[in-house]
Amino acid sequence: AAKNGGRGQFRFYASDLKDEEQERQTVLDDLREALEGDQLYLQYQPVVSIKTGNVVCLEALMRWEHPERGFVSPGTFIPVAEDSDLINNLGEWALRTACEAALEWPKSVRVAVNVSAVQFANQGFPTVVANALAHTGIDPDRVELELTESIFVGDNDETERMFKNLKSLGVRLALDDFGTGYSSLSYLRAAPFDKIKVDKSFVDSCTQKDKNSAKIIAAIVGLSNALNMETTVEGVEAFDQLEVVKEKGAKLVQGFIYSRPLHQTAVLENFESGEFTIKPDGPDTYRPD
Ligand code: C2E
Ligand code: MG
Ligand code: MG
Ligand code: MG
């Protein structure tokens, strides 16, 4: 079998292609069942202020515990769901569940929810968001929708109308995985994003000698600041990466160095004392300021 590359899937010879199609169908059927049962849940990963160590936001990440296959990664099942209507049901469930969870956190803490480009292309999506807000009663300003550059494939006017409708609900919009798609700067001119999330791939190589990734992080932070947007740097795992990212002007970080995604119970335990403050894993001599 040869690697196809796209989406991390595999393309096989003709007979296996059929197997692959069957496999997709099985995943889809199982996923439908999962949504009706209790195999799906959300975990929440802290977004931390480097300066204070305070958790300012948590990103909801979908988890699937399959009864036979065990843990299935969202990187595997989200693309399958996106090829069918099911992504709309999954997305609506995630949005409501995340808003409900956030109601139990301090009011100063936001919740971020990933939105598939397929959901975004659906005319009824603003109504889905409005219903989730009304149903839970959460302050819309606490809700951040994470979109990727793939939303820009459609009709310009449609996209613009969707942005208007979403912003009129009072939610915040973040551009996720920035720098990995086509990254046309005209997107930023037209779209009312409140935040840019710098993709992990820049962090992975930001401590390398050639320094290009580090410079790109600095440039994205600068661009984001100039446009009055916040920046979160994603996927910071190591202490030396945190040092670089901090030096390049980033204020908010999300990554294993602070915390992996957590169950709601763990999030609540951490908030129990009032503030949820985390120190990065790193040398004891480390000072945030
Ligand atoms: P994403 O939205 O960019 O989410 C960040 C991903 O990076 C998460 O992977 C998170 O666990 C991982 N991550 C965060 N910090 C680190 C780090 O320091 N090191 C490493 N190695 N990884 C880190 P996860 O949970 O596997 O999700 C993968 C992708 O699946 C997400 O990327 C998002 O595109 C999609 N996804 C997850 N949940 C949902 C959802 O509810 N709806 C939609 N549409 N997509 C979702
Ligand atoms: Mg995200
Ligand atoms: Mg991301
Ligand atoms: Mg990603």
Short mmCIF file of all heavy atoms in Angstrom, two decimals, residues 250-282:
data_model
loop_
_atom_site.label_atom_id
_atom_site.label_comp_id
_atom_site.label_asym_id
_atom_site.label_seq_id
_atom_site.Cartn_x
_atom_site.Cartn_y
_atom_site.Cartn_z
N ALA A 250 4.62 36.70 21.95
CA ALA A 250 3.35 36.01 22.19
C ALA A 250 2.94 36.17 23.65
O ALA A 250 3.77 36.19 24.55
CB ALA A 250 3.49 34.53 21.85
N LYS A 251 1.63 36.33 23.86
CA LYS A 251 1.11 36.48 25.21
C LYS A 251 0.36 35.23 25.68
O LYS A 251 0.30 34.94 26.86
CB LYS A 251 0.14 37.67 25.27
CG LYS A 251 0.73 38.99 24.80
CD LYS A 251 1.41 39.72 25.96
CE LYS A 251 1.88 41.09 25.54
NZ LYS A 251 3.07 41.03 24.66
N LEU A 252 -0.24 34.53 24.72
CA LEU A 252 -1.05 33.37 25.06
C LEU A 252 -0.49 32.11 24.42
O LEU A 252 -0.12 32.12 23.24
CB LEU A 252 -2.50 33.57 24.58
CG LEU A 252 -3.24 34.80 25.12
CD1 LEU A 252 -4.61 34.92 24.46
CD2 LEU A 252 -3.37 34.72 26.64
N VAL A 253 -0.45 31.06 25.21
CA VAL A 253 0.11 29.79 24.74
C VAL A 253 -0.83 28.65 25.09
O VAL A 253 -1.46 28.64 26.15
CB VAL A 253 1.51 29.56 25.37
CG1 VAL A 253 1.90 28.10 25.31
CG2 VAL A 253 2.56 30.40 24.67
N GLN A 254 -0.92 27.71 24.16
CA GLN A 254 -1.69 26.49 24.40
C GLN A 254 -0.77 25.34 24.01
O GLN A 254 -0.31 25.27 22.88
CB GLN A 254 -2.94 26.49 23.51
CG GLN A 254 -3.79 25.25 23.61
CD GLN A 254 -5.01 25.32 22.69
OE1 GLN A 254 -5.26 26.36 22.06
NE2 GLN A 254 -5.76 24.25 22.61
N GLY A 255 -0.50 24.46 24.95
CA GLY A 255 0.38 23.35 24.61
C GLY A 255 0.65 22.47 25.80
O GLY A 255 0.33 22.81 26.94
N PHE A 256 1.24 21.32 25.50
CA PHE A 256 1.49 20.33 26.55
C PHE A 256 2.40 20.86 27.64
O PHE A 256 2.39 20.35 28.77
CB PHE A 256 2.09 19.05 25.94
CG PHE A 256 1.15 18.29 25.04
CD1 PHE A 256 1.60 17.19 24.32
CD2 PHE A 256 -0.19 18.66 24.91
CE1 PHE A 256 0.74 16.48 23.49
CE2 PHE A 256 -1.06 17.96 24.07
CZ PHE A 256 -0.58 16.87 23.36
N ILE A 257 3.22 21.87 27.34
CA ILE A 257 4.09 22.42 28.37
C ILE A 257 3.28 22.95 29.55
O ILE A 257 3.73 22.90 30.70
CB ILE A 257 5.03 23.51 27.81
CG1 ILE A 257 6.06 23.89 28.87
CG2 ILE A 257 4.26 24.76 27.35
CD1 ILE A 257 7.24 24.67 28.38
N TYR A 258 2.09 23.43 29.27
CA TYR A 258 1.20 23.86 30.36
C TYR A 258 0.24 22.76 30.75
O TYR A 258 0.11 22.43 31.93
CB TYR A 258 0.43 25.13 29.96
CG TYR A 258 1.23 26.39 30.04
CD1 TYR A 258 1.69 27.01 28.88
CD2 TYR A 258 1.57 26.95 31.27
CE1 TYR A 258 2.44 28.17 28.94
CE2 TYR A 258 2.33 28.11 31.34
CZ TYR A 258 2.76 28.71 30.17
OH TYR A 258 3.51 29.85 30.24
N SER A 259 -0.45 22.23 29.78
CA SER A 259 -1.43 21.20 30.10
C SER A 259 -1.91 20.47 28.86
O SER A 259 -2.04 21.07 27.80
CB SER A 259 -2.64 21.83 30.80
OG SER A 259 -3.65 20.86 31.00
N ARG A 260 -2.15 19.19 29.02
CA ARG A 260 -2.86 18.43 27.99
C ARG A 260 -4.35 18.74 28.13
O ARG A 260 -4.77 19.34 29.12
CB ARG A 260 -2.61 16.94 28.20
CG ARG A 260 -1.19 16.59 27.87
CD ARG A 260 -0.88 15.12 28.03
NE ARG A 260 0.51 14.92 27.64
CZ ARG A 260 0.89 14.41 26.46
NH1 ARG A 260 0.00 13.99 25.59
NH2 ARG A 260 2.17 14.29 26.17
N PRO A 261 -5.14 18.33 27.15
CA PRO A 261 -6.59 18.49 27.31
C PRO A 261 -7.08 17.73 28.54
O PRO A 261 -6.59 16.65 28.85
CB PRO A 261 -7.15 17.87 26.01
CG PRO A 261 -6.02 17.98 25.02
CD PRO A 261 -4.77 17.80 25.82
N LEU A 262 -8.03 18.33 29.27
CA LEU A 262 -8.49 17.80 30.55
C LEU A 262 -9.98 17.47 30.51
O LEU A 262 -10.75 18.10 29.80
CB LEU A 262 -8.28 18.84 31.65
CG LEU A 262 -6.87 19.39 31.86
CD1 LEU A 262 -6.92 20.60 32.81
CD2 LEU A 262 -5.95 18.31 32.40
N HIS A 263 -10.36 16.52 31.35
CA HIS A 263 -11.78 16.28 31.56
C HIS A 263 -12.39 17.46 32.32
O HIS A 263 -11.70 18.09 33.13
CB HIS A 263 -12.00 15.01 32.39
CG HIS A 263 -11.70 13.76 31.63
ND1 HIS A 263 -12.52 13.28 30.65
CD2 HIS A 263 -10.66 12.89 31.72
CE1 HIS A 263 -12.00 12.17 30.15
NE2 HIS A 263 -10.87 11.91 30.77
N GLN A 264 -13.67 17.69 32.11
CA GLN A 264 -14.35 18.77 32.82
C GLN A 264 -14.17 18.64 34.34
O GLN A 264 -14.00 19.65 35.02
CB GLN A 264 -15.85 18.78 32.42
CG GLN A 264 -16.74 19.68 33.27
CD GLN A 264 -16.59 21.17 32.94
OE1 GLN A 264 -15.63 21.60 32.30
NE2 GLN A 264 -17.54 21.95 33.39
N THR A 265 -14.20 17.43 34.86
CA THR A 265 -14.04 17.25 36.32
C THR A 265 -12.70 17.82 36.79
O THR A 265 -12.63 18.49 37.82
CB THR A 265 -14.12 15.77 36.72
OG1 THR A 265 -13.29 15.02 35.84
CG2 THR A 265 -15.53 15.24 36.67
N ALA A 266 -11.65 17.58 36.00
CA ALA A 266 -10.33 18.09 36.37
C ALA A 266 -10.29 19.62 36.24
O ALA A 266 -9.69 20.30 37.06
CB ALA A 266 -9.26 17.46 35.49
N VAL A 267 -10.94 20.13 35.20
CA VAL A 267 -11.00 21.58 35.02
C VAL A 267 -11.66 22.22 36.25
O VAL A 267 -11.15 23.19 36.81
CB VAL A 267 -11.79 21.96 33.74
CG1 VAL A 267 -11.99 23.47 33.64
CG2 VAL A 267 -11.07 21.43 32.50
N LEU A 268 -12.77 21.64 36.67
CA LEU A 268 -13.51 22.20 37.81
C LEU A 268 -12.69 22.13 39.09
O LEU A 268 -12.69 23.07 39.89
CB LEU A 268 -14.85 21.48 37.97
CG LEU A 268 -15.86 21.71 36.84
CD1 LEU A 268 -17.14 20.95 37.09
CD2 LEU A 268 -16.13 23.19 36.65
N GLU A 269 -11.98 21.01 39.28
CA GLU A 269 -11.11 20.90 40.46
C GLU A 269 -10.08 22.02 40.46
O GLU A 269 -9.78 22.61 41.50
CB GLU A 269 -10.38 19.55 40.46
CG GLU A 269 -11.16 18.45 41.14
CD GLU A 269 -10.53 17.09 40.88
OE1 GLU A 269 -9.29 17.00 40.73
OE2 GLU A 269 -11.31 16.11 40.80
N ASN A 270 -9.54 22.29 39.28
CA ASN A 270 -8.52 23.33 39.19
C ASN A 270 -9.09 24.73 39.45
O ASN A 270 -8.40 25.61 39.95
CB ASN A 270 -7.84 23.30 37.82
CG ASN A 270 -6.81 22.20 37.72
OD1 ASN A 270 -5.89 22.12 38.52
ND2 ASN A 270 -6.99 21.31 36.76
N PHE A 271 -10.32 24.94 39.08
CA PHE A 271 -10.95 26.24 39.30
C PHE A 271 -11.46 26.40 40.72
O PHE A 271 -11.79 27.51 41.14
CB PHE A 271 -12.12 26.47 38.33
CG PHE A 271 -11.70 27.00 36.99
CD1 PHE A 271 -12.14 26.40 35.82
CD2 PHE A 271 -10.88 28.13 36.89
CE1 PHE A 271 -11.76 26.90 34.57
CE2 PHE A 271 -10.51 28.64 35.65
CZ PHE A 271 -10.95 28.01 34.49
N GLU A 272 -11.56 25.30 41.44
CA GLU A 272 -12.21 25.31 42.75
C GLU A 272 -11.66 26.40 43.67
O GLU A 272 -12.41 27.09 44.34
CB GLU A 272 -12.05 23.95 43.42
CG GLU A 272 -13.28 23.51 44.19
CD GLU A 272 -13.31 22.01 44.32
OE1 GLU A 272 -12.53 21.50 45.16
OE2 GLU A 272 -14.07 21.35 43.60
N SER A 273 -10.36 26.56 43.63
CA SER A 273 -9.72 27.53 44.52
C SER A 273 -9.93 28.96 44.04
O SER A 273 -9.46 29.90 44.67
CB SER A 273 -8.23 27.22 44.60
OG SER A 273 -7.70 27.23 43.30
N GLY A 274 -10.59 29.15 42.91
CA GLY A 274 -10.81 30.49 42.37
C GLY A 274 -10.09 30.65 41.06
O GLY A 274 -10.71 30.62 40.01
N GLU A 275 -8.78 30.76 41.11
CA GLU A 275 -8.01 30.91 39.88
C GLU A 275 -7.40 29.58 39.47
O GLU A 275 -7.06 28.75 40.28
CB GLU A 275 -6.91 31.94 40.07
CG GLU A 275 -7.23 33.23 39.35
CD GLU A 275 -6.31 34.35 39.78
OE1 GLU A 275 -5.18 34.08 40.25
OE2 GLU A 275 -6.72 35.51 39.66
N PHE A 276 -7.25 29.44 38.19
CA PHE A 276 -6.61 28.26 37.62
C PHE A 276 -5.30 28.76 37.02
O PHE A 276 -5.28 29.38 35.97
CB PHE A 276 -7.54 27.66 36.56
CG PHE A 276 -7.09 26.40 35.90
CD1 PHE A 276 -7.90 25.80 34.96
CD2 PHE A 276 -5.88 25.78 36.21
CE1 PHE A 276 -7.52 24.62 34.32
CE2 PHE A 276 -5.49 24.61 35.59
CZ PHE A 276 -6.32 24.04 34.63
N THR A 277 -4.23 28.57 37.76
CA THR A 277 -2.92 29.07 37.35
C THR A 277 -1.98 27.89 37.14
O THR A 277 -1.92 26.99 37.96
CB THR A 277 -2.35 30.01 38.44
OG1 THR A 277 -3.32 31.03 38.69
CG2 THR A 277 -1.07 30.65 38.00
N ILE A 278 -1.28 27.90 36.04
CA ILE A 278 -0.36 26.80 35.74
C ILE A 278 1.04 27.32 35.49
O ILE A 278 1.23 28.36 34.86
CB ILE A 278 -0.76 26.01 34.46
CG1 ILE A 278 -2.26 25.95 34.26
CG2 ILE A 278 -0.17 24.62 34.52
CD1 ILE A 278 -2.66 25.18 33.00
N LYS A 279 2.00 26.57 35.96
CA LYS A 279 3.40 26.88 35.66
C LYS A 279 3.84 25.97 34.52
O LYS A 279 3.44 24.81 34.47
CB LYS A 279 4.27 26.58 36.88
CG LYS A 279 4.27 27.66 37.92
CD LYS A 279 5.61 27.61 38.67
CE LYS A 279 5.62 28.60 39.82
NZ LYS A 279 5.33 27.96 41.10
N PRO A 280 4.67 26.49 33.62
CA PRO A 280 5.17 25.61 32.56
C PRO A 280 6.14 24.59 33.14
O PRO A 280 6.81 24.87 34.14
CB PRO A 280 5.89 26.57 31.62
CG PRO A 280 6.28 27.73 32.47
CD PRO A 280 5.21 27.85 33.54
N ASP A 281 6.19 23.42 32.53
CA ASP A 281 7.23 22.46 32.89
C ASP A 281 8.54 23.05 32.40
O ASP A 281 8.65 23.39 31.23
CB ASP A 281 7.01 21.12 32.17
CG ASP A 281 5.76 20.44 32.66
OD1 ASP A 281 5.39 20.65 33.82
OD2 ASP A 281 5.16 19.68 31.88
N GLY A 282 9.50 23.19 33.27
CA GLY A 282 10.76 23.75 32.81
C GLY A 282 11.71 23.93 33.96
O GLY A 282 11.41 23.54 35.09
#
